Amino acid sequence: MEKTHSCGELRETNVGEKVVLMGWVAKKRDFGVFTFIDLRDRDGITQIVVSEETDREAHTKAKLLRGEFVVAVIGEVFSRSEGTHNSKLATGDIEVHASEILILNDAKTLPFELEKAGSQNLASEDLRLKYRYLDLRRPQLAHNIRMRARAVKEIRNYMDNLGFTEIETPILLKSTPEGARDFIVPSRIHTSKFFALPQSPQILKQICMISGLDKYYQIARCFRDEDLRADRQPEFTQLDVEISFANQETIYRIIEGMFQSVLRLIDVELPAQFPRMTYAEALRRFGSDKPDLRFEMELVDLSESFKNTDFAPFAAVLENKGEIKAIVVKGKADYSRKVTDDLQEFVKRYGASGLAWIKLGDELNSSLLKVLGEAKISELATTAKAEKGDAVLIVAGKKSVAAAALGALRIEVAKRENLIDRNAYKPLLVTEFPMFEHNDETGNYDAAHHPFTSPMDEDLEMFRTAIEDETQHELLGKVRAKAYDAVINGYECAGGSIRIHQKEIQALNFKALGLSPEVARARFGFFLDALEYGTPPHGGFAAGIERTCMILCGTENIRDVMAFPKTASAQDLMMDSPGDVDVSQLKELGIKIVE
RNA sequence: GGAGUCGUAGUUCAGUUGGUUAGAACGCCAGCCUGUCACGUUGGAGGUCGCGGGUUCGAGUCCCGUCGGCUCCGCCA
């Protein structure tokens, strides 16, 4: 027997047809002499009616059904009678009158209800993760997984239409100590040696450019052994792209076009050209290199206004080249002490020492009123462009701290006050990322993007000077790279760069990063060799598939767009991984567990 | 590595100042029910209060430790 239709497709036009449906019992409503069954499959739900009067045998079977039994229903499509249509179901204008019911399989009572009636409360996430196969029966989650498949298909079409070639690169690579921690895989044949799983196929795609393959892309699984976040898992998928003879503009067009075609899946039309902002501007205006542009509330710099005031902590901040910045929260002069206390706790997580505030209510109020006086507070409020009824939230600290704290506070307040338009999609290209980040622990400069990123032509001179002249080393912090991110709604959805294709610049860069020629050769020798055989200028990007899908699905959690995600402590609760291995396996690999 | 938060019936939660037999809703089981779609209705079963220790005449409640989920900081070239 074969099913004739899915549970989501029957309509008024099918009335009178004999059909066979197969699916799960989502719900049974028993009325004694007849019984309603909501039959669910991947496509939807169809109401089955079984009557004792007309179909005695089927009705007896229907009585036996329990939740999540798997059944086949043979019956006829009927139009629902007046007043019994269900507008909540796509199939709500019809119902199937069953003449025969086959129980294909029974099911234990589920450990949790798939969707709770009367409340939005889903079962706790650890329980749902343990029984992921049941959670995936939820239409919402199933929809997300299918949306992801459509997005990947759309991406493949798009890349293919642009003439890109999908190339698979190895999963078993070699460990390179830069960047994230590697997941390593022991080699049985070469005892005491290890493969590493790719953090990204970065070097391999660049080698494809040296090969002359050009226009490479891959839907690449990447692995990073770092702690998780709501938008980060230890394994994730990137659209990885590289192209030769390209400059930033070429790549921006590819990124823009890619996100445009993907967002069309949810009927959103992104602008042909994304707005652009330099890294420096993003940090100055939004305190973040991935600003959410769905709402305003930009940072205001009050450092100038605080000069020559005698509030010691703020004076010290300015003395040490710090900043005093603020956001204005519209109409929130009525923020209570508790709210500002909560927000103060919030900014402290980002290293801020406190949160000062001004409330422009009926009376002027401020945490700084006593120290600065009413006139100065008014002046500050005016400088911040705050109006009557507004609250001004002020953070003073190191530039990086003030930016991080206020950048995060801006998002936090927007969430609290519901300032974010859930139907808005605001893309942005952030450009001119710094080439290096100062590492406060080692005192060295690390690659901000990766060690193959090209400096901006304008900063090449500074780059050379900083490396060749020991006394000018800190200039490295000012060198900008041909590196960029694509940001949508505050999520870093893609990032990339133009790469270095000349070996002497690459050598300079290794020197800047404190890698001796010997060490660089040991780690990247094969790549440095390759660079010497006619490397075309090239560049590319990688886009996070999960983050893109989070935007498509309107979720803030990466687990909602992965079929089998791991918990925050990097475990799979369904298969209980990671797990022990047999001693014999370890022996074969020459591995001994210590402790 | 650190911080916050949660953990009570199968599930989601409530549980007063530490005090009798730990409750509700949903789910589950059994019965009744001719138009439901959150069906209704009658009855029933169901508890290691995450785990361990402590304080106390007495602990779901207080203290210490520990485990787990989530979120954040660090980390994520």
Side-chain angles (χ1 to χ4, degrees), chain A residues 55-239:
Chain A
D55 300 284
R56 176 166 292 276
E57 209 171 311
H59 186 256
T60 310
K61 275 276 186 54
K63 289 263 180 197
L64 298 173
L65 297 181
R66 292 292 179 271
E68 300 303 312
F69 273 31
V70 187
V71 297
V73 172
I74 303 168
E76 187 180 336
V77 183
F78 278 75
S79 187
R80 291 209 195 180
S81 56
E82 186 92 17
T84 65
H85 293 245
N86 185 348
S87 57
K88 289 179 205 158
L89 289 182
T91 60
D93 288 332
I94 58 94
E95 61 194 14
V96 170
H97 291 202
S99 54
E100 200 177 331
I101 288 180
L102 281 107
I103 297 178
L104 304 177
N105 211 342
D106 61 1
K108 292 193 349 189
T109 299
L110 266 44
F112 58 91
E113 290 166 71
L114 294 189
E115 263 159 319
K116 290 269 279 186
S119 112
Q120 299 297 312
N121 290 342
L122 292 170
S124 70
E125 194 161 7
D126 49 338
L127 191 68
R128 288 186 288 122
L129 284 170
K130 181 174 175 188
Y131 298 96
R132 186 64 170 179
Y133 42 88
L134 298 180
D135 205 22
L136 285 166
R137 287 185 190 171
R138 274 170 46 225
Q140 178 64 58
L141 200 45
H143 165 270
N144 290 357
I145 300 301
R146 291 196 189 95
M147 176 59 81
R148 177 177 174 146
R150 290 174 64 201
V152 170
K153 180 168 188 283
E154 187 59 41
I155 287 170
R156 284 208 162 94
N157 276 345
Y158 174 80
M159 297 309 294
D160 195 54
N161 286 339
L162 289 184
F164 281 78
T165 308
E166 183 168 9
I167 301 172
E168 291 187 77
T169 53
I171 292 292
L172 296 176
L173 301 180
K174 185 182 163 184
S175 177
T176 54
E178 282 78 24
R181 271 183 215 97
D182 285 315
F183 280 101
I184 59 173
V185 179
S187 163
R188 175 184 55 82
I189 296 172
H190 304 279
T191 310
S192 86
K193 291 199 187 275
F194 295 84
F195 296 103
L197 305 183
Q199 297 175 23
S200 86
Q202 184 60 37
I203 292 180
L204 291 161
K205 71 174 172 178
Q206 291 191 243
I207 286 184
C208 285
M209 298 304 102
I210 298 172
S211 306
L213 286 167
D214 200 355
K215 293 190 141 187
Y216 145 99
Y217 85 99
Q218 179 177 196
I219 306 293
R221 190 66 65 87
C222 302
F223 306 85
R224 296 178 189 175
D225 189 5
E226 297 293 346
D227 286 352
L228 293 83
R229 286 289 185 281
D231 64 348
R232 252 168 47 189
Q233 284 265 315
E235 57 178 303
F236 60 100
T237 306
Q238 287 188 337
L239 162 65

Side-chain angles (χ1 to χ4, degrees), chain A residues 233-474:
Chain A
Q233 284 265 315
E235 57 178 303
F236 60 100
T237 306
Q238 287 188 337
L239 162 65
D240 196 44
V241 175
E242 197 77 3
I243 179 170
S244 297
F245 312 110
N247 60 19
Q248 288 100 308
E249 295 301 326
T250 322
I251 291 166
Y252 294 164
R253 280 199 298 277
I254 299 169
I255 294 176
E256 287 162 344
M258 188 274 292
F259 282 118
Q260 270 164 31
S261 52
V262 169
L263 269 285
R264 280 187 197 120
L265 290 173
I266 54 166
D267 298 317
V268 169
E269 190 63 32
L270 294 179
Q273 269 216 341
F274 292 180
R276 294 184 193 179
M277 197 179 289
T278 65
Y279 171 89
E281 184 182 355
L283 237 66
R284 180 171 54 78
R285 290 173 56 192
F286 298 96
S288 168
D289 61 359
K290 45 184 167 71
D292 189 339
L293 298 185
R294 287 176 297 177
F295 59 98
E296 309 276 334
M297 212 158 50
E298 290 190 25
L299 276 53
V300 203
D301 193 341
L302 296 178
S303 306
E304 202 59 37
S305 310
F306 273 100
K307 276 188 183 150
N308 307 316
T309 58
D310 359 298
F311 185 43
F314 280 24
V317 161
L318 292 176
E319 184 87 0
N320 294 315
K321 294 189 179 169
E323 280 181 334
I324 301 168
K325 298 183 93 168
I327 53 172
V328 175
V329 189
K330 285 281 156 205
K332 287 295 157 190
D334 58 351
Y335 262 168
S336 66
R337 180 61 190 261
K338 170 153 182 10
V339 173
T340 50
D341 281 355
D342 283 353
L343 294 177
Q344 168 152 272
E345 285 311 306
F346 180 83
V347 295
K348 279 182 174 172
R349 299 211 290 259
Y350 298 85
S353 46
L355 181 71
W357 47 262
I358 301 171
K359 295 173 189 169
L360 298 167
D362 292 334
E363 280 178 32
L364 183 67
N365 196 3
S366 168
S367 57
L368 301 171
L369 196 56
K370 275 183 195 157
V371 251
L372 297 183
E374 205 158 312
K376 188 67 191 176
I377 296 292
S378 288
E379 183 204 313
L380 285 167
T382 308
T383 309
K385 295 203 171 69
E387 294 168 340
K388 193 164 170 69
D390 296 348
V392 186
L393 305 175
I394 305 164
V395 171
K398 262 172 55 182
K399 279 189 183 184
S400 58
V401 168
L406 279 168
L409 185 65
R410 177 177 169 268
I411 309 278
E412 173 68 14
V413 169
K415 282 184 179 161
R416 267 172 189 261
E417 305 307 332
N418 245 330
L419 301 177
I420 301 174
D421 178 359
R422 305 279 305 168
N423 295 312
Y425 296 86
K426 297 287 186 184
L428 174 73
L429 285 170
V430 181
T431 63
E432 300 181 19
F433 269 74
M435 186 88 177
F436 304 98
E437 274 166 2
H438 189 258
N439 185 328
D440 292 336
E441 279 176 37
T442 61
N444 292 333
Y445 284 88
D446 297 340
H449 188 52
H450 58 60
F452 317 109
T453 303
S454 173
M456 282 179 60
D457 300 336
E458 297 87 330
D459 294 350
L460 206 50
E461 210 50 45
M462 182 162 51
F463 177 64
R464 286 185 196 281
T465 311
I467 296 157
E468 281 157 11
D469 182 350
E470 282 290 318
T471 63
Q472 307 262 16
H473 201 56
E474 72 279 6

